[in-house]
Every structure is written in structure tokens, then in C-alpha cells.
Amino acid sequence: MSVPQQELNRDIKQLIIDSLGLEDISAQDIEDDQTLFGEGLGLDSVDALELGLAIQKRYGIKIDADAKDTRNHFTNVASLVAFVTARQAA
Amino acid sequence: MITVNISQWCAWAPGLQTRADWQAWATGNVSASAVTQAPDVSFLPALQRRRLSTLARMAFAVGWPLAEGLEKLPLVFVSRHGETPRTFAILSELARQEPLSPTQFSLSVHNAVIGLWSIMRGETSEMTAIAATDDGFEHGMLEAAGLLNDGSPAVLLIIAEDAPPAAYRQWIDDVPFAYAVGLLLTPGKQWQLSSSVAADVPAADLPHALSWLRATLNGQNGFIHSGKRCTWNWQHRP
């Protein structure tokens, strides 16, 4: 991972913690490939909406909630980093 | 007229947690702390408690110990003002033309607390959320008495109010401090509650649930709470 990618990775982990009120965990506790929703970190559908909103606000990108691949972008931190990078470049 | 037994109670306010704290409060020796704080609800898993507002934390803190070991326990939740900090946050976002937080929005409704209670306890008994005016305590008691009359062996009644955001304080004058009172009600005749047409009785100097608690701790066996539409007469037969 390049340096900007590493920063984005840390930034997104912190955004997950802050926007979802995960007060008892830190960015190091979230693995890049850990499943965020359902299994893994154990987040739910309200978290998905909240995180989607936080990412749109933070990175100034638009997320289409109905698009088929949106669910895949939210699989884990690695997929979110790839998604935000691609959208910011576009 | 209704009659009930109040088998147990539990109350929380900033600085007032134990029975001894409340006893000292009832005799006028201590007051609630002016510091904003929320009760400890670490008996809940972190992932579940993170979304609980102060109002929900207070309701859980007083209700959880009373519900211990009881299954199929109907719940009547009473709050006059509800989640004012959440609704104010949502209205502020609207005013700034920002998108609304889905978490704040989904938990701002009046029955959010009983919904969370149901999920976290796996409780599917009947639950009701009431917002009355200044006599929600008595209306909640009526609702609970109805559930007892329908055959429930016990009913949990929780009355909770959070301190409103500063912007509302000019209009909300009946929340001296954030508080929650939980009562475990069972069928019986220890307490008798009757209503009559509104008499010219001055309003209670405390919200009715706290006034009830103070009277109970001071061993007062009869007192009156005046509401807008009727006067409530409480009698205790120990």
C-alpha cells in the first residue's frame, strides 16, 4: 500500500469508530479484511446507512444506495479504501 | 379507582443512585447533582449500549434490576418530553440543510426505548410508550393496572425524563433534573389511586413520579397530585 492509501485506510477505520460510536475499540482492532456487517465486526443495517452518510460527507462522494455493487464496496475496510480511491480519482 | 402493589422500586438521577441517596434526598438533605452524566449500563454488551441515549440508559438502569429473573414482563414506559436531545440534533441538521443521521432518526421516536428493551431482552410481552402531560405517572399506572387486570402476574412501569437541550428550557419547566423511576407492580391493594374532577389544588412541586417517591420514603400514606383535567388521590395501606 502506498502512503496515501495507508493514511486513507487509517482514516476510514477511525471514521467507522467515530460515526458508529464504537467507543471500546481502536483502529488497530479492525483488520483490513474483517467483515464489517453481520459477522466479523457485527454491524447492522442502521450502521450501514450511518457509515454511508459519513463517507459521503467526509470524502464528498455520492453513493447510490440502490446500486448492485454498493454492498460489495462495504464488505470490509480494504474494499472501502478501493472504492473511495476510485471515486476520488473519477 | 384502581389498586396495585408496588413490590419494588429503583430510581436514578445524577448523584442519586442508591436507596440511601434517595432517602437523604427525600428528607431534603441532598440534591441531584448539576453535572450532566448518564448511568452505568455496562451490564449490556458494548455493541448494544453504544446507541443508547441518556434517556434510554436511565430507563435501562432502573428497569433492568427490577426485571431480573422475570420472563414475560409487560412494560409501560412513560416520558412527557421523550428524546429531546435527539430531536433537537435532527432539527439542527435540517436547519443546516445537512442529511439526517439515520441512527438519530430511527431512535428519536417515542417508542424507541421499548423497542430496544424488547430486542436486548428478547422480551415479546405487551409494551406501551405513553406521553401524557404532567400526570403521565398516573396514566402509566392506569395502563399497568389494566395489564394486571388482564392477567399479567407483574408489570414494569418506567418513568424517565432527560434534561432538555438549552434551546427548549424556556418552555420545559417540569424537569428539575434528569431522572428515571422504575416500579415493579403486582396485583394487590397496598396502593389505591382514584381520580376526581380537577380541584383547585396547587400543582405538585416535583414531577409526579418523584413526588410519589418522596412521599413513600417519608412514610406519607396519603397525598394528592393535581393534573390539568383531574385530581389524583393516592392512598397507601401498609
Side-chain angles (χ1 to χ4, degrees):
Chain A
M1 251 194 302
S2 64
V3 172
Q5 288 263 295
Q6 280 173 7
E7 276 173 15
L8 182 59
N9 180 296
R10 257 200 312 275
D11 204 43
I12 286 181
K13 286 178 181 173
Q14 199 55 50
L15 188 66
I16 291 172
I17 290 167
D18 295 343
S19 65
L20 307 182
L22 302 171
E23 49 202 58
D24 60 330
I25 65 169
S26 65
Q28 291 95 312
D29 298 331
I30 306 176
E31 301 293 333
D32 294 352
D33 59 353
Q34 187 178 11
T35 306
L36 297 177
F37 296 93
E39 298 300 305
L41 205 53
L43 305 176
D44 63 20
S45 58
V46 176
D47 291 315
L49 291 168
E50 195 72 40
L51 182 57
L53 183 67
I55 285 177
Q56 294 184 75
K57 272 188 178 173
R58 173 72 173 243
Y59 302 107
I61 58 178
K62 197 100 192 89
I63 299 174
D64 181 357
D66 297 323
K68 274 200 189 122
D69 50 357
T70 298
R71 181 177 282 260
N72 298 333
H73 298 320
F74 281 76
T75 304
N76 52 39
V77 170
S79 63
L80 275 173
V81 170
F83 171 66
V84 171
T85 307
R87 281 305 173 90
Q88 284 185 320
Chain B
M1 186 192 79
I2 59 166
T3 67
V4 293
N5 282 2
I6 300 176
S7 349
Q8 286 183 67
W9 62 267
C10 185
W12 188 92
L16 303 173
Q17 276 132 58
T18 65
R19 193 164 274 263
D21 292 340
W22 284 104
Q23 190 69 59
W25 166 82
T27 49
N29 290 326
V30 294
S31 307
S33 157
V35 180
T36 305
Q37 51 172 289
D40 177 28
V41 286
S42 54
F43 50 82
L44 297 168
L47 212 53
Q48 293 190 347
R49 70 172 183 260
R50 70 199 160 103
R51 284 187 194 141
L52 300 183
S53 61
T54 302
L55 185 74
R57 283 169 196 252
M58 292 194 299
F60 275 69
V62 300
W64 207 268
L66 298 179
E68 188 71 50
L70 296 174
E71 281 173 36
K72 303 258 167 229
L73 180 65
L75 168 64
V76 178
F77 170 74
V78 178
S79 181
R80 179 176 187 175
H81 303 289
E83 297 279 1
T84 47
R86 281 202 203 275
T87 47
F88 185 70
I90 293 172
L91 290 170
S92 303
E93 284 172 339
L94 265 182
R96 292 192 301 264
Q97 298 189 311
E98 286 175 4
L100 306 186
S101 156
T103 312
Q104 294 277 27
F105 184 74
S106 68
L107 295 176
S108 64
V109 293
H110 203 62
N111 57 8
V113 169
I114 61 176
L116 292 165
W117 179 269
S118 170
I119 293 167
M120 292 182 194
R121 294 193 65 87
E123 177 64 81
T124 54
S125 297
E126 189 168 337
M127 296 185 202
T128 310
I130 295 177
T133 54
D134 46 2
D135 51 2
F137 176 54
E138 281 81 10
H139 285 287
M141 194 63 79
L142 276 183
E143 181 72 19
L147 290 162
L148 290 174
N149 201 47
D150 275 351
S152 290
V155 175
L156 181 59
L157 173 62
I158 296 175
I159 301 93
E161 295 292 350
D162 193 4
Y168 294 156
R169 284 191 197 144
Q170 192 182 336
W171 295 278
I172 299 180
D173 59 1
D174 60 345
V175 186
F177 46 84
Y179 69 90
V181 178
L183 304 174
L184 187 66
L185 307 175
T186 51
K189 296 196 184 306
Q190 283 174 0
W191 284 93
Q192 180 184 305
L193 174 64
S194 57
S195 66
S196 54
V197 287
D200 199 12
V201 181
D205 62 336
L206 279 174
H208 293 189
L210 291 177
S211 169
W212 171 87
L213 183 57
R214 181 178 58 187
T216 301
L217 289 169
N218 288 334
Q220 221 179 315
N221 286 326
F223 48 93
I224 281 173
H225 286 159
S226 71
K228 282 209 171 59
R229 290 165 185 268
C230 62
T231 298
W232 300 95
N233 189 349
W234 283 95
Q235 293 294 328
H236 185 215
R237 296 179 206 293

